[in-house]
Amino acid sequence: MMIHLKRNWPAKLLSLLAAIVMWFFIMRDQNPVMEVTYTVPVQVQNLNSGYIVEDAPDTVRVVLTGPRDTIISMKSDNLRAYIDASGVKPGQNNVTINFTPPAGMNLVEVKPDTITNITINVDEYAERKVPVEIVPIGKFSDDIALKSVTIVPKEVTVSGRKQQVNTVSKVVMKVNVAGQTKNFSAVSTLEAWDIAGNVLDVHINPNQGQVQYELNLLRKNKAVPITVPTVGTVPEGYEVKAISATPTQLTVTGREELIDTITDIQTEPVDISGATEIIQGTYNLVLPSGINSNTSTVRVKVEIQKKAT
């Protein structure tokens, strides 16, 4: 048997090599090497908690090669590039974007290139509390008075680059008040302004505010009935049959909170002491303070008759 194996061994070795090469090509055709490009997020690692970086790239493009099966089975969501910020200081810093390819994959290229350093700006981190102010857009009409304004939150935290945070003059909430006549609320995104009114690039927490406006009408009209009070009493055996005023109602004007409390307007009292017949005449209206009317007097008629026996 060994004699047969030793015969023509060069030809047999060549056949084995040919089989190996053929297997390699077959397997390469079945699972070819492919090139793929991914956009991956960039993480800043090891940054001093007292520093902040805001101009580092959010993503980079990486070009990888590897067997098709490996590429298909790989979860691209797990890919991450990173910047090692352990040695950075405030100011401009040259750093490298690093990327480690997954097992079975080869890195072809990263854009921007990992070899060429990129420049990032590092600043000290700062934060402080700032009250929220309202900046009205438009204006209320002349017959509207502002009763109260409630802002939530009353103050917020601004944070970010120390230079920007220190420049914040105020945090504002813009509210459109034009045409508003009744109580209303509004929600708006907050902005941080410098002393010149320029919007600053800082973080605001929370970044939205809510405002509640309570308004009053300076002049509100309302139609109310006229009532006639009396003083004294009629003699024994007599009674008041009816009391009437002409007109029976009038329109009053005043601030909304006052007008809303008015249910009627009275005349000055009519004295019926000892009266045995009709009392009629012109009587003045008694208008509460802050309430006005074009009518100041009305005709009053008090009917008095004997009681039926």
Side-chain angles (χ1 to χ4, degrees), residues 138-241:
K139 64 178 184 177
F140 296 111
S141 61
D142 294 337
D143 60 349
I144 296 295
L146 179 59
K147 184 177 180 180
S148 67
V149 179
T150 303
I151 305 172
V152 178
K154 293 183 178 180
E155 69 174 13
V156 294
T157 300
V158 294
S159 61
R161 295 185 177 186
K162 184 176 182 179
Q163 182 180 6
Q164 290 279 298
V165 170
N166 289 343
T167 308
V168 175
S169 173
K170 55 187 174 181
V171 171
V172 303
M173 176 181 176
K174 296 179 181 177
V175 181
N176 186 1
V177 302
Q180 297 288 353
T181 59
K182 298 183 180 298
N183 296 343
F184 72 98
S185 62
V187 176
S188 180
T189 299
L190 303 178
E191 295 180 352
W193 288 7
D194 64 13
I195 194 170
N198 300 309
V199 179
L200 299 172
D201 183 19
V202 295
H203 298 288
I204 304 174
N205 185 35
N207 65 351
Q208 282 195 326
Q210 182 173 3
V211 62
Q212 177 69 44
Y213 277 84
E214 290 190 53
L215 307 178
N216 283 328
L217 283 172
L218 292 176
R219 291 179 58 84
K220 181 178 180 180
N221 299 329
K222 184 179 182 181
V224 295
I226 298 172
T227 58
V228 181
T230 61
V231 294
T233 58
V234 297
E236 187 177 351
Y238 287 83
E239 64 181 353
V240 176
K241 179 182 178 182

Side-chain angles (χ1 to χ4, degrees), residues 262-277:
I262 301 299
T263 58
D264 65 348
I265 294 295
Q266 294 185 348
T267 66
E268 56 186 325
V270 177
D271 189 356
I272 61 173
S273 299
T276 58
E277 58 185 20

